[in-house]
Amino acid sequence: MSNPFRRARPCVVALAAATCTTLLAACSGGGASDTVGGAATSGAADGSGGTLNLYAFSVPKVGFDAVIPGFNDTPEGAGVAFQQSYGPSGDQSRKVAAGAAADVVSFSVEPDMTRLVTAGLVSADWDDAAHHHGVAFGSVVAMVVRKGNPKGIRTWDDLLKPGIEVVTPNPFSSGSAKWNLLAPYAAESDGGTNPAAGLDYVGKLVGDHVKTQPKSGREASDAFLQGQGDVLLSYENEALFLERAGDPVEHIVPEQTFRIDNPVASTTKGANVARAEAFVSYLFTAPAQTILAQKGFRVTDPAVAQQFASSFPTPTKLYTIDDLGGWKKVDSTLFLKDVGSIATIYDAASK
């Protein structure tokens, strides 16, 4: 069976201490927190094995909270404590590049990892094929609606109906925002073969229907749960987390959507490099992959993915970043601030 989440370079997450993240995590039942610079400490280990600083984008917190105890039960992870920081992927990556001490980084999109490679903080071979090209888990872009789907949202075209308000974060800070926009762009442009059609759709979506732009995927979820908008664009695993927490929402995986690849890596400058490498390696083992799948993530181990195949719908067309030419092309042509096609759409909409 081919790897369903083949490639997306890890993005490094920065650490900063702020009590608001801890409070937000508590309010959300221990789920993902996207508060910028938020930090939390795992009490699962006694610290005799040292401490790992984990910098990540917010959405996988629920997954890391579940796999860390499993790692602590291994010989390599015995006694290891974790200091965790969660926030918008781009913001986290920039913080680590600016000097925040990180041992393990987990980002939403590849360019946030590339930034750290350029800075000499992550090895250039972080995306080695032996570890599924640096992607331990991922998801697909989904639509979250109110319970019962009162607006009848099913397709990308439904988002452009008069009066429909869409919640999605800002792509200048959030990696999830980029995935959220790439899904309809790919669907409407036939995988990038008709970019004008894709950009026309994104222009209408952002200009007429996106009324709020939170900084991160978690903040977008909070805004939606507080009553803003009719539809939330999000990761499928985040939608599952909200549903399992009892929130009055449901989600739709469109027939045409986008595969999300979330990269992870250890840094080369951390104080506990060997333990960090061991933790990253553990994420690719069958026990960790099983835990992540149970938490709603689409994992990259073929055997575990097959085991959970019935838990995840199969879209008619699942586009990938490779379909659009890879992250280097996509980021420079679509998202580069002031010049990218989607970036200019957002700039125009904010004026």
Side-chain angles (χ1 to χ4, degrees):
M1 176 180 175
S2 62
N3 180 0
F5 287 89
R6 189 174 56 81
R7 185 178 179 114
R9 288 192 173 117
C11 307
V12 181
V13 186
L15 174 68
T19 58
C20 56
T21 294
T22 304
L23 293 173
L24 182 56
C27 293
S28 61
S33 170
D34 249 354
T35 302
V36 180
T41 303
S42 169
D46 60 16
S48 62
T51 298
L52 293 180
N53 291 329
L54 168 64
Y55 285 79
F57 70 110
S58 60
V59 170
K61 183 179 187 299
V62 63
F64 284 125
D65 284 348
V67 298
I68 284 173
F71 176 64
N72 290 144
D73 287 339
T74 69
E76 296 80 9
V80 177
F82 284 77
Q83 180 76 13
Q84 303 172 64
S85 172
Y86 297 93
S89 185
D91 288 352
Q92 293 286 72
S93 174
R94 284 184 283 270
K95 289 175 186 176
V96 175
D103 298 293
V104 176
V105 291
S106 173
F107 292 127
S108 177
V109 293
E110 177 181 310
D112 291 337
M113 189 65 80
T114 303
R115 179 183 291 113
L116 300 187
V117 174
T118 301
L121 299 173
V122 168
S123 173
D125 64 355
W126 64 267
D127 56 350
D128 190 289
H131 276 169
H132 297 285
H133 299 285
V135 178
F137 55 84
S139 192
V140 299
V141 177
M143 303 174 184
V144 183
V145 298
R146 308 294 175 192
K147 193 72 173 179
N149 195 6
K151 301 291 184 175
I153 303 298
R154 291 291 173 191
T155 69
W156 294 112
D157 287 341
D158 289 337
L159 301 188
L160 301 187
K161 291 179 178 178
I164 296 296
E165 293 191 7
V166 177
V167 178
T168 186
N170 191 301
F172 298 134
S173 60
S174 170
S176 67
K178 294 181 177 181
W179 295 117
N180 292 349
L181 296 171
L182 287 175
Y185 172 81
E188 298 296 326
S189 68
D190 191 22
T193 60
N194 186 357
L199 292 173
D200 179 67
Y201 177 93
V202 173
K204 292 175 181 176
L205 177 69
V206 174
D208 300 333
H209 300 273
V210 176
K211 305 299 183 181
T212 181
Q213 298 178 23
K215 285 181 64 66
S216 67
R218 183 63 232 176
E219 289 182 9
S221 294
D222 290 339
F224 187 70
L225 294 178
Q226 291 164 10
Q228 296 185 40
D230 303 295
V231 185
L232 167 70
L233 299 184
S234 189
Y235 299 85
E236 176 189 47
N237 57 274
E238 174 76 348
L240 289 169
F241 166 72
L242 298 177
E243 291 172 1
R244 292 169 180 176
D247 291 305
V249 300
E250 58 189 70
H251 76 281
I252 298 101
V253 174
E255 286 300 315
Q256 295 188 69
T257 191
F258 213 88
R259 192 185 75 198
I260 295 170
D261 299 324
N262 300 137
V264 63
S266 58
T267 68
T268 59
K269 306 294 185 181
N272 208 341
V273 174
R275 297 280 191 171
E277 292 177 346
F279 177 66
V280 171
S281 294
Y282 173 73
L283 295 177
F284 293 87
T285 66
Q289 292 276 287
T290 299
I291 292 170
L292 290 166
Q294 291 170 339
K295 291 299 181 180
F297 296 89
R298 298 198 181 206
V299 295
T300 53
D301 181 278
V304 178
Q306 181 61 38
Q307 179 185 348
F308 286 87
S310 62
S311 301
F312 302 100
T314 302
T316 301
K317 179 60 180 179
L318 186 60
Y319 291 101
T320 73
I321 196 66
D322 290 338
D323 291 331
L324 300 182
W327 267 115
K328 184 175 182 179
K329 176 183 178 181
V330 166
D331 222 36
S332 62
T333 60
L334 296 181
F335 295 112
L336 185 62
K337 192 167 177 59
D338 299 326
V339 297
S341 299
I342 292 180
T344 57
I345 288 172
Y346 262 83
D347 286 338
S350 63
K351 292 179 180 178

